[in-house]
Amino acid sequence: MQNLQNFRDYYEILGVSKDAPNDVIKKSYRRLARQYHPDLNPGNKAAEEKFKDVNEAYEILSDPGKRAQYDQFSVFWKQNGFAGSKSSSRKGANQGNGSRTSNDVNPGKYDNFDTFIDQVFGVKSKGNKSSTASANTPKTDPFRTPRTKVSYTPNARQTRRDIEARLTLPLEKAYQGGLERIRLEDGRSLEVNMPPGMVTGQTIRLRNQGISGGDLYLKITVQTHHIFKLDGNDIYCQVPITPCEAVLGGQVEAPTLDGLVKMTIPPGVRSGQRLRLEGKGYPNEKGKRGNQLVEIQIITPSPKNISSEERELYEKLRAIETFKPRKDLLR
């Protein structure tokens, strides 16, 4: 009799205990299958082998009959077969086809544990070089839809290739930069540290994130903002004020990309007049910021939105005011 070599502990592969319930085994399998999936590890041979081991282990341990047989037979893997052992006289747990028992198994005719698993459980081990690992069977790969069939050949080498993806960002995010989680069309999810001050048309290179070690190029588009407009490194916006604020001047709050700031309105400011907030514009590639131009808009309240007291004061003001804006029309 020959020893069964290359024994693989399926419980150890999935990182679970031998008494682990089915839900724990399934949860561990899903985590490991996602971690070592070939689509997420292009060109990584170690991940390919690990992915096949995880799938083989799950195929055995997720089936109650096969798991029971594995638990019974695997204890003898260091011995010279099953002959003479107490277990050889006992009936094994039913297999997938319900016919073969431990009495039917003679380990001496198998060269190694891979062949034994293949014949007893009907699992093609990774030692069979003629087999092709499928990356999408509904039972062993839950990360693909059942209708999608994608074959993965471990020995096939993909050509290193750069890819391009488009990323649209709100103006505030483009200005601040920082960590951004993006999801690519191939299903990958990446967390990218974006630079501050991004602009439409800018390309960001991510090394080794393309196909087979190629690069990924992110094409940036900055969304149109409902308040701010970019003009080079200057930012333009409008700020409404009341007639009283226009006449008397004073401080009002103006929006910027850094939040609200206090801005001084000079007395007698005109509608359409532009005031400058220095250094509150958009940064250039060196980090130096432009200015923010604030256009004043004098807004007259609707008669429906003023109180009776306000109306009375407006009447008194009209009676005593000396300003004549139309006096030069007839000259």
Side-chain angles (χ1 to χ4, degrees):
M1 295 288 184
Q2 300 178 9
N3 290 330
L4 296 180
Q5 303 297 323
N6 301 325
F7 174 75
R8 291 190 298 285
D9 188 335
Y10 291 148
Y11 293 101
E12 181 179 356
I13 290 174
L14 294 183
V16 298
S17 63
K18 291 188 177 181
D19 58 352
N22 290 337
D23 59 336
V24 173
I25 291 176
K26 184 175 182 179
K27 182 177 180 180
S28 179
Y29 162 70
R30 289 177 63 88
R31 176 179 59 82
L32 293 172
R34 184 187 299 274
Q35 179 180 352
Y36 296 107
H37 199 284
D39 288 353
L40 303 183
N41 299 274
N44 188 334
K45 298 300 181 182
E48 292 172 14
E49 295 301 316
K50 186 67 175 179
F51 180 74
K52 290 188 291 182
D53 287 344
V54 167
N55 276 278
E56 182 178 315
Y58 181 68
E59 185 168 351
I60 297 299
L61 299 185
S62 63
D63 185 294
K66 291 181 179 180
R67 181 179 179 182
Q69 283 189 299
Y70 173 76
D71 290 341
Q72 180 182 356
F73 295 151
S74 61
V75 298
F76 300 108
W77 70 275
K78 289 183 178 181
Q79 301 179 14
N80 291 329
F82 299 95
S85 69
K86 294 181 180 181
S87 296
S88 63
S89 61
R90 295 183 301 174
K91 294 289 183 179
N94 289 335
Q95 299 188 51
N97 58 13
S99 60
R100 187 179 295 168
T101 68
S102 58
N103 289 338
D104 301 322
V105 180
N106 179 8
K109 68 179 182 180
Y110 302 112
D111 294 332
N112 52 53
F113 195 77
D114 287 350
T115 307
F116 170 68
I117 288 295
D118 182 10
Q119 296 297 320
V120 175
F121 297 116
V123 176
K124 291 294 183 181
S125 69
K126 65 180 181 179
N128 187 353
K129 296 184 179 180
S130 63
S131 63
T132 299
S134 176
N136 70 310
T137 57
K139 180 176 180 181
T140 59
D141 188 354
F143 307 112
R144 294 189 183 273
T145 58
R147 293 183 179 179
T148 303
K149 188 174 183 180
V150 179
S151 295
Y152 180 77
T153 305
N155 293 330
R157 287 192 175 183
Q158 292 180 303
T159 304
R160 182 185 184 277
R161 183 162 59 89
D162 297 338
I163 60 176
E164 180 180 285
R166 297 185 179 276
L167 180 61
T168 300
L169 298 169
L171 179 61
E172 291 87 351
K173 185 64 180 179
Y175 164 68
Q176 295 172 357
L179 291 178
E180 180 77 9
R181 180 166 292 278
I182 62 175
R183 182 172 294 277
L184 303 177
E185 292 182 356
D186 59 10
R188 287 184 294 157
S189 180
L190 302 177
E191 192 171 64
V192 183
N193 191 17
M194 311 295 288
M198 291 175 282
V199 296
T200 296
Q202 180 177 348
T203 299
I204 296 176
R205 178 187 181 188
L206 302 179
R207 296 180 181 273
N208 303 322
Q209 295 299 330
I211 303 298
S212 298
D215 297 334
L216 169 62
Y217 291 88
L218 291 179
K219 193 80 169 180
I220 302 299
T221 297
V222 180
Q223 293 176 342
T224 301
H225 200 273
H226 67 288
I227 294 177
F228 303 115
K229 293 182 179 179
L230 292 182
D231 183 9
N233 293 115
D234 291 334
I235 295 177
Y236 164 84
C237 74
Q238 293 180 330
V239 171
I241 63 174
T242 68
C244 290
E245 290 172 330
V247 173
L248 301 177
Q251 286 194 330
V252 299
E253 288 186 329
T256 71
L257 288 175
D258 301 314
L260 294 174
V261 298
K262 292 288 186 179
M263 181 178 67
T264 300
I265 301 293
V269 69
R270 301 181 308 276
S271 187
Q273 183 175 343
R274 291 187 177 185
L275 305 179
R276 184 176 67 176
L277 296 176
E278 190 171 355
K280 288 296 183 181
Y282 209 71
N284 60 18
E285 61 276 4
K286 296 182 180 180
K288 184 177 179 180
R289 297 181 63 174
N291 301 318
Q292 180 165 323
L293 303 177
V294 179
E295 182 179 302
I296 299 300
Q297 295 289 313
I298 301 174
I299 305 299
T300 303
S302 169
K304 297 180 180 180
N305 296 329
I306 61 175
S307 65
S308 57
E309 184 179 3
E310 287 176 315
R311 177 179 292 277
E312 184 178 349
L313 290 175
Y314 274 115
E315 292 288 351
K316 290 180 179 181
L317 179 61
R318 182 167 62 178
I320 65 174
E321 68 181 354
T322 59
F323 178 56
K324 304 296 181 182
R326 297 176 299 280
K327 67 179 180 179
D328 294 331
L329 291 180
L330 298 178
R331 289 187 179 183

